[in-house]
Amino acid sequence: MKKYILLLLVLLAGLIYGIMVGRYGYFPFSVLKNIQDTYQGEEKRASHNFSKLDIQKLISVNPGNIDSIRMVLTDLIFDTTAIPASLPDTIYAIADVQYAKLDNLESMDCFEVRMKYGINSKGIIFHPKKSNDRLLIYHEGHKGDFINGKNAIARFLKAGFTVYAFSMPLMGKNNQPTIFLDKLGEIYLGDHELMRFLHYPLQYFLAPVITMLNYAADKKFKDISMIGLSGGGWTTTLAAAIDTRINFSFPVSGTSPMYIRFRKLDKSYGDFEQIYEAVYSRVDYLDMYIMGSEGGNRFQLQILNKFDPCCFDGDEYNEYEAIISANVKKFPQGNFSVYFDTVNKDHRISDAALDEVEKKLNSSVVAGQ
């Protein structure tokens, strides 16, 4: 009998608390409300029929205006229409046991690029014993340190490339300073989202790459390639669009055009830098794909994972690949294509994708592009 009375009291208490949750917002009201809102939002998006777009109308760049649009994009990032002429603040020899046993490794240097507010970028230059006189930039994404890209770094180093390795700002070996902003006060920069409050915030993502391209200018490399994953793929897309010194670019699971993002807000909308209205309302990713692909001895191979659990999954690239490729063909030289990885189920660069990258880079030597 006591058990039934106790059970009744528990049920009564639960009923009373449930009423208070609904009426006064007690825990876990906010959690349940967020779940409900998310479900209803997904349900509404699933039931909404987006109209079929004329994608060509979203594209602005053409052979007659590409130089001016490139200057517009550069200005939106750096507050100047000219590529910054900065050089790294320090470069010094290092030994790192994490990379000590890489095939064909001669030596390593650490480079540091210091920017406004004390924000820095630290990376490593991997020098090969036997060099093919080619440079490859590897850029890690939001996972953190470029040690996560050790497989790719090792592969290209073994093939004879000099490799410059980067992490995104505030990640990896980079610092997370506490800064002071007028009208706002102190901010601890522990997250990219807070960088939106900085003046021209995208410069802190792109300046380190541009700086090291400046450093490489007198090294007599035959060509320069860049590959990046996720946020590093985003960086690769923007860097190749503004700086034609990057010959061959391989953004991996890094971007999708804004019109696709608006369809998939729950999956591919992205971090603030990916959707920064001040930039993308002027120059969309579709234009950047063309800008990163056109020119003598240049191409872009975009790599996407069909089953990517993070972002940019699915096959929507079919809507724009042929259109971007056709627009690039309006220029004297250049090429754009997509490698669609239908096997890889992780947010990473698969061995199959790296095989494709190596194939493209090897063919570029033979064909002169």
Side-chain angles (χ1 to χ4, degrees):
M1 185 67 178
K2 290 182 179 179
K3 289 183 180 180
Y4 291 112
I5 294 174
L6 182 60
L7 179 60
L8 183 61
L9 289 173
V10 170
L11 290 174
L12 183 61
L15 178 61
I16 294 171
Y17 188 75
I19 293 171
M20 295 174 69
V21 166
R23 185 169 182 178
Y24 299 108
Y26 289 176
F27 178 85
F29 176 83
S30 60
V31 176
L32 296 173
K33 186 68 168 60
N34 285 337
I35 293 172
Q36 180 188 36
D37 291 346
T38 300
Y39 175 76
Q40 289 178 344
E42 290 176 351
E43 193 174 52
K44 286 178 181 178
R45 287 195 290 275
S47 64
H48 182 81
N49 294 317
F50 284 87
S51 58
K52 185 175 177 62
L53 280 173
D54 182 349
I55 296 171
Q56 185 59 46
K57 289 184 177 179
L58 301 178
I59 295 171
S60 300
V61 69
N62 60 58
N65 66 13
I66 188 167
D67 291 335
S68 61
I69 290 182
R70 186 169 276 124
M71 286 193 294
V72 167
L73 180 58
T74 304
D75 187 45
L76 290 169
I77 295 171
F78 292 108
D79 194 20
T80 173
T81 58
I83 292 287
S86 53
L87 289 170
D89 293 277
T90 58
I91 294 182
Y92 52 91
I94 61 167
D96 191 327
V97 295
Q98 297 178 100
Y99 304 103
K101 295 183 179 180
L102 293 184
D103 285 349
N104 199 34
L105 176 64
E106 176 68 29
S107 62
M108 291 179 288
D109 292 328
C110 178
F111 64 81
E112 182 176 4
V113 178
R114 300 177 195 136
M115 297 169 281
K116 192 176 178 181
Y117 300 114
I119 299 169
N120 75 354
S121 176
K122 280 188 173 183
I124 294 179
I125 301 173
F126 296 87
H127 298 283
K129 290 178 182 176
K130 185 177 180 181
S131 175
N132 60 11
D133 299 319
R134 307 176 77 183
L135 171 62
L136 182 127
I137 294 171
Y138 176 82
H139 207 299
E140 184 55 48
H142 290 91
K143 283 187 176 180
D145 195 280
F146 48 77
I147 187 66
N148 294 306
K150 184 177 179 180
N151 181 49
I153 292 169
R155 185 159 179 161
F156 293 108
L157 181 66
K158 184 177 180 180
F161 287 85
T162 299
V163 178
Y164 293 178
F166 295 78
S167 299
M168 299 188 82
L170 315 183
M171 296 186 170
K173 296 174 173 56
N174 304 332
N175 66 349
Q176 296 181 338
T178 297
I179 66 172
F180 183 88
L181 296 180
D182 291 342
K183 307 294 185 184
L184 297 176
E186 282 192 337
I187 300 178
Y188 166 61
L189 291 180
D191 187 277
H192 285 168
E193 291 300 311
L194 293 171
M195 295 179 73
R196 67 170 69 243
F197 295 103
L198 305 182
H199 189 60
Y200 288 84
L202 297 196
Q203 65 180 297
Y204 301 98
F205 296 84
L206 276 298
V209 174
I210 301 301
T211 297
M212 292 308 293
L213 285 170
N214 296 338
Y215 173 76
D218 64 351
K219 307 303 178 188
K220 303 295 188 292
F221 290 113
K222 293 176 182 176
D223 53 50
I224 298 174
S225 302
M226 183 170 178
I227 184 170
L229 170 66
S230 193
W234 169 84
T235 310
T236 300
T237 299
L238 271 69
I242 64 174
D243 199 325
T244 58
R245 293 177 295 182
I246 298 174
N247 301 97
F248 315 123
S249 51
F250 305 91
V252 184
S253 299
T255 72
S256 64
M258 291 304 298
Y259 81 89
I260 292 177
R261 291 167 186 265
F262 294 142
R263 294 180 193 165
K264 305 174 74 173
L265 298 180
D266 57 320
K267 189 71 185 284
S268 295
Y269 197 52
D271 303 279
F272 105 87
E273 64 268 19
Q274 295 254 357
I275 56 173
Y276 192 54
E277 185 271 339
V279 171
Y280 306 113
S281 63
R282 299 284 302 280
V283 185
D284 185 45
Y285 290 108
L286 294 167
D287 289 320
M288 294 185 202
Y289 299 160
I290 297 169
M291 295 162 68
S293 303
E294 68 80 30
N297 201 31
R298 296 190 84 215
F299 65 70
Q300 184 166 107
L301 176 67
Q302 189 180 94
I303 299 170
L304 298 170
N305 300 325
K306 181 178 181 179
F307 302 108
D308 200 310
C310 164
C311 33
F312 315 121
D313 58 333
D315 59 1
E316 286 88 353
Y317 77 93
N318 281 313
E319 299 175 18
Y320 64 80
E321 180 185 17
I323 295 170
I324 298 299
S325 180
N327 276 269
V328 173
K329 285 181 169 57
K330 295 176 183 177
F331 294 83
Q333 295 183 67
N335 183 266
F336 174 84
S337 59
V338 174
Y339 174 73
F340 193 45
D341 194 329
T342 60
V343 178
N344 180 15
K345 295 184 178 180
D346 298 315
H347 188 56
R348 63 181 178 87
I349 310 174
S350 69
D351 288 337
L354 289 173
D355 288 342
E356 192 67 21
V357 171
E358 277 204 284
K359 189 189 305 180
K360 288 283 286 185
L361 289 176
N362 290 337
S363 66
S364 71
V365 173
V366 175
Q369 177 176 306

